[in-house]
Amino acid sequence: MTKKNKSALSEHTGISSPEITSSNAIETLKAKRKARIDTNTLVSSILNKNIAALSRAITLVESENHKHLEQANTIIKACLPHANKSIRIGITGVPGVGKSTFIEAFGKHLTSQGKRIAILAIDPTSSITKGSILGDKTRMETLAKDENAFIRPSASGTSLGGVARKTRESIILCEAAGFDVILIETLGVGQSETTVHSMIDFFLLLKLAGAGDELQGIKRGIIEMADAIAINKADGENLKQAKLAKVEFNRALHLYPPKPSQWSPKVMLCSALQNEGIKDIWKLILEYKTKTTENNYFETNRTKQNKFWLIQTIENELKRSFFNKKEIKEALEAQLKLIETNKTTPFAAADYLLSLNKSLQ
Amino acid sequence: MTKKNKSALSEHTGISSPEITSSNAIETLKAKRKARIDTNTLVSSILNKNIAALSRAITLVESENHKHLEQANTIIKACLPHANKSIRIGITGVPGVGKSTFIEAFGKHLTSQGKRIAILAIDPTSSITKGSILGDKTRMETLAKDENAFIRPSASGTSLGGVARKTRESIILCEAAGFDVILIETLGVGQSETTVHSMIDFFLLLKLAGAGDELQGIKRGIIEMADAIAINKADGENLKQAKLAKVEFNRALHLYPPKPSQWSPKVMLCSALQNEGIKDIWKLILEYKTKTTENNYFETNRTKQNKFWLIQTIENELKRSFFNKKEIKEALEAQLKLIETNKTTPFAAADYLLSLNKSLQ
């Protein structure tokens, strides 16, 4: 105690207590207790619709840190019984189709109906090269301020599989946090549509009249996956052309065989900018939910999706753990050189690498 | 020696020679020597264009027996330096398009030019449910009797990967046996086109005028893969319609971006039955070979294909060896049940199975 400190509230320093155990062990104990408290607190906060807690949990899901992922798994497990109650909507469309404006109008309509909407994005490449889609919240200014809306940019990562896993786990967290509608945005220019399609209930394709990219949509199977096509910017001088496009898309949709959901995809007109047609699209999605709940497709499809993801995750991990081994990487390089000079067949090279892998285990 | 046997040519039986080693060991030695001789003989016979030897080697490739496969690998390795000199042509088209008639006419044209042609087929499902395509050689009666033609039905097997491997190895054997042209037929109704495309130099799509299956072809990317579209049965009353179809397909082809081969796909008319247009298709394929040899695409594409097959084979085997384990099979069943009742996430289930797999190694 220093002389300067004369307050009655001051304490004697006393002697320091002896160390009862190593300081390391104490730190470990403290950390464990902290993590346990955090996990429990996080889960109950999420279930209490606390957005900050939800954000933090998603950050854990997205982490590359092993301990974070362990904690994330515990949280997800605790959230699981409270999940699955939303409708999951996939939304895609090429850049320029007005996705942000549409999501803003759609989201505002939902929150005005007392719904809570979470918006996630999936696009592995954009998150690296151009910053993630949705990263710029200013594109959805009003919605970003709405307390019943939660906007989360795309998880980063180079592999679609990795990003997809993170998005799927985030969906569970958002559902546990009481969001009624989960919207998953994708960029409309890659393989990500198929990935998104395997984690959603309803797939909405945004189009422009006369954009002339129908062949691309058919080729990549996007039109085949759509439960509804919304022709956006159907306003002013565009309206006439949009109506023509509606007829054409309806014709195109008839070329496809009936869906297992027994749902006939619909073509809608809308103008996100003028806030027209948005209500009808939401009504259509509700119709879809009623119909597919009645015929049991809604549930069986989700189970099917979960099984697909189980297999997918295993396959990705088998590949990753094989090709990431240092010895395999080196041997693969050598075998590829032999292939280039036609000194081996791909099958002999594969057999060699597979045997090497066995000897490493 | 019995009394009955009085010929001067008869021999005394003598005493049996003592066993110098266990009979087992002798059998093993004999078998090894036999296999060695067989392998060497087979290889030199194949290189001497002996069809019976080629057939026997392909049978070894197609065997499920481990020893046969080992022998097959040795043979392929020995054949490899003599392979790669053919042009590999993929041919597809829906049933009814006249594939057999076309192959017969095309093959006869080639053999009349002094070429030797081998015809393989790839179609895993058909080989089980309907007997393999090409199985019925009577459909190519003239060609089947031609000593410069070799017709081999599709390898059996349920997995496309397995059948594909067998076909690719058979290609090497056929090339070592001096075949200038390898034709690989596929049924035109499944995923097998993409598989075939990854093992050929030139892809020929057979079509009928007005068959109305263009959308299917676009959807499955078959039209995009084609280096030429031949509209068959362009004779008699069909001719006018075939000419119209040619214009339409030419238009459709222009919608695709340029190919890495720098080859612009052509649309041709032919009548296999009337033996018309067949020569022109062969000329076109030779033009393709000249062009892609000059710009180096022919070689780089084959190397790329080989690398693709290396990775593909490894991935297939990683999956096969994981999912075929008894313990994994049982645990997977259990995890799938948990998924059905929403008691676990696909990712937690995957992690569990992957850990189980590690503990089994």
Side-chain angles (χ1 to χ4, degrees), chain A residues 252-316:
Chain A
L253 285 174
H254 278 110
L255 293 170
Y256 291 98
K259 286 172 179 269
S261 59
Q262 295 171 32
W263 170 259
S264 313
K266 306 283 185 303
V267 186
M268 314 284 283
L269 296 182
C270 71
S271 165
L273 205 65
Q274 311 275 336
N275 203 12
E276 276 165 22
I278 304 294
K279 273 187 216 175
D280 297 329
I281 291 170
W282 175 236
K283 253 170 75 182
L284 187 77
I285 294 173
L286 289 179
E287 268 174 44
Y288 173 89
K289 193 175 180 184
T290 306
K291 182 175 171 117
T292 54
T293 305
E294 278 169 12
N295 69 19
N296 222 23
Y297 176 80
F298 197 87
E299 266 313 296
T300 53
N301 183 48
R302 282 199 172 181
T303 304
K304 206 179 124 203
Q305 289 178 339
N306 281 333
K307 290 180 177 176
F308 168 81
W309 280 97
L310 164 59
I311 303 299
Q312 200 71 3
T313 307
I314 289 174
E315 291 184 358
N316 284 345

Side-chain angles (χ1 to χ4, degrees), chain B residues 7 14 26 48 55 89 119 194 210 234 239 243 306 355:
Chain B
S7 156
I26 294 173
N48 280 324
S55 270
I89 303 168
I119 299 149
T194 318
L239 191 56
K243 282 181 180 168
N306 281 333
S355 308

Side-chain angles (χ1 to χ4, degrees), chain B residues 89-104 106 183 185-188 193 202-209 211 213-214 217 222-223 226-233 249 266-272 276-278 281:
Chain B
I89 303 168
I91 183 164
T92 191
V94 293
V97 79
K99 263 204 313 287
S100 300
T101 318
F102 179 87
I103 293 173
E104 168 120 329
F106 187 73
L183 205 70
E185 180 189 358
T186 169
L187 206 59
E193 280 72 30
F202 187 95
F203 202 32
L204 178 63
L205 172 60
L206 287 189
K207 282 291 209 177
L208 291 182
D213 58 347
E214 285 71 29
I222 295 181
I223 289 185
D227 294 301
I229 297 174
I231 301 167
N232 194 21
K233 304 190 184 176
F249 277 115
K266 307 284 186 301
V267 185
M268 314 284 284
L269 296 182
C270 71
S271 165
E276 275 164 21
I278 304 295
I281 290 170

